[in-house]
Amino acid sequence: MKAREFLGIFKVEITVLIDIVAVSAFLSVPGSTLRLALLAPLLVSGSLASFSSALFNNIYDQDIDGRMKRTEYRTKLINWKTRNLYIAVATLMIALSMAISQIYLNTLTSLFIFGGFLSYFVLYTVILKRRTIWNIVIGGIAGSFPALAGWSSLTGSVSSTSLFLAFLVFLWTPSHFWSLASSRVEDYIQADVPMLPVVKGVKASTRWIFTNTVVLVAYTLIPFFVHMDLGRAYFPIAIASDVAFLYLTGRLLVSSDTPSLKRAFHFSNLYLLLILVSVWLVAVGW
Ligand code: HEM
Ligand SMILES: CC(C)=CCC/C(C)=C/CC/C(C)=C/COP(=O)(O)OP(=O)(O)O
């Protein structure tokens, strides 16, 4: 077993970007740099909840993971022999996550972190994923909770800025995932999961991806007209990232080959990273 595969069952790389969502919301709180120590319990609690939800997702999806090339490696680790062990580990992780958040942060933040866990494992994985093409649109709310948790960890409240960041991730998710799913459509046909490209075809999915990206880009322009605590670096970086994302998803309308789809998918992560990290500069007065 390779280390990357072991880390893969906890979806560590996804958790890193989830944590960056939380850090951006945290640093956008005025005066956040005076209380940076609270980043530690926020990131430990949020990461443990993300790892736990990813583990529960992989335990529940054992049957379909074994039928998809991208995920079949997981069945070497999570199988009938080890299932109970991983259930115990995942349960311990979410319990520890809640304890840390309750002790060092506040109840609202615990609720937001638990909301991310529940919306990913129960709402998306158990209820929606195998039933509807809207699975990742509704399930995408999972990625919004880290933004709400990041702001509330310092304030015990919600703000227009944390709601803006939360909804930004929500709108970003379909462009992110549908490009991946379209590049892996055979996998999802094998697994009999009703992802958009399985039900509507890749060509139609590229139109949905581009349309969603146009809506996402329009949404990122709101801070040009409505004040948010996002700092000055947000504006040029959002515009540059928007142009690149529109280009990469727009060209899918012309060529929806696998490399183009994978390029759009990988850029979706860079896109969100650039916009989120641009907000960090607000903490140092930019
Ligand atoms: C319901 C919502 C989402 C779905 C269905 C989804 C789906 C996926 C899938 C299937 C992968 C490939 C994973 C692999 O092959 O190991 C992936 C990768 C990734 N996702 Fe998402 N995702 C969602 C939300 C998010 C959110 C909210 C974030 C962070 C804010 C995120 C960040 C990432 C990153 C960074 C990767 C790349 C990891 C790598 O390079 O392997 N995803 N996503
Ligand atoms: C605050 C908190 C805990 C938030 C959790 C948010 C979170 C972990 C979102 C990730 C969503 C995700 C990667 C879905 C992919 O599942 P999939 O089953 O479609 O992917 P797979 O086929 O690779 O298993």
Side-chain angles (χ1 to χ4, degrees):
M1 171 198 55
K2 300 184 203 99
R4 183 174 162 80
E5 290 181 344
F6 183 71
L7 293 176
I9 60 170
F10 294 94
K11 298 184 184 172
V12 172
E13 290 162 313
I14 295 175
T15 301
V16 168
L17 194 52
I18 296 274
D19 286 343
I20 290 171
V21 173
V23 172
S24 297
F26 180 100
L27 292 176
S28 68
V29 176
S32 58
T33 45
L34 303 172
R35 302 162 68 193
L36 290 177
L38 286 179
L39 269 176
L42 174 68
L43 293 178
V44 171
S45 174
S47 300
L48 282 170
S50 184
F51 293 152
S52 173
S53 56
L55 253 192
F56 275 120
N57 163 280
N58 289 330
I59 293 163
Y60 186 85
D61 279 348
Q62 214 182 309
D63 56 338
I64 57 175
D65 279 351
R67 299 208 294 265
M68 298 204 300
K69 283 193 187 64
R70 177 178 58 82
T71 58
E72 62 186 347
Y73 74 90
R74 296 176 184 161
T75 54
K76 285 185 281 183
L77 289 154
I78 300 176
N79 48 54
W80 293 108
K81 281 204 303 285
T82 61
R83 188 180 170 86
N84 290 338
L85 168 69
Y86 281 113
I87 289 173
V89 169
T91 305
L92 192 66
M93 282 181 150
I94 189 63
L96 211 48
S97 163
M98 291 299 98
I100 290 167
S101 177
Q102 269 307 96
I103 294 166
Y104 297 100
L105 299 171
N106 56 61
T107 301
L108 184 61
T109 303
S110 305
L111 288 173
F112 284 147
I113 292 172
F114 195 61
F117 167 84
L118 275 187
S119 49
Y120 177 31
F121 172 47
V122 178
L123 178 63
Y124 169 70
T125 308
V126 175
I127 298 173
L128 295 169
K129 181 174 176 179
R130 304 184 192 207
R131 286 189 177 80
T132 166
I133 59 167
W134 300 103
N135 46 17
I136 66 101
V137 177
I138 303 163
I141 192 173
S144 297
F145 284 104
L148 299 175
W151 181 278
S152 68
S153 65
L154 277 180
T155 65
S157 67
V158 179
S159 71
S160 56
T161 301
S162 68
L163 285 169
F164 173 80
L165 289 172
F167 201 58
L168 173 70
V169 179
F170 179 78
L171 286 176
W172 164 85
T173 300
S175 299
H176 162 74
F177 176 70
W178 283 338
S179 44
L180 174 90
S182 300
S183 74
R184 297 271 186 176
V185 64
E186 299 76 25
D187 257 1
Y188 286 106
I189 293 170
Q190 277 302 316
D192 194 23
V193 174
M195 294 305 187
L196 183 73
V198 171
V199 177
K200 300 281 184 186
V202 170
K203 208 70 199 129
S205 299
T206 58
R207 289 194 292 274
W208 288 48
I209 292 167
F210 180 64
T211 305
N212 184 77
T213 306
V214 170
V215 171
L216 169 65
V217 165
Y219 179 81
T220 62
L221 302 181
I222 289 175
F224 283 83
F225 308 99
V226 178
H227 173 71
M228 303 267 176
D229 294 310
L230 299 174
R232 290 194 291 269
Y234 167 87
F235 299 98
I237 287 175
I239 291 292
S241 308
D242 284 341
V243 168
F245 209 12
L246 280 172
Y247 168 71
L248 284 172
T249 54
R251 71 189 295 275
L252 294 178
L253 302 174
V254 178
S255 61
S256 56
D257 55 285
T258 301
S260 301
L261 289 163
K262 286 193 177 206
R263 200 172 302 121
F265 165 69
H266 287 298
F267 181 78
S268 74
N269 296 319
L270 179 61
Y271 172 88
L272 188 61
L273 179 69
L274 288 171
I275 289 183
L276 289 170
V277 172
S278 76
V279 174
W280 292 10
L281 295 173
V282 74
V284 290
W286 255 56

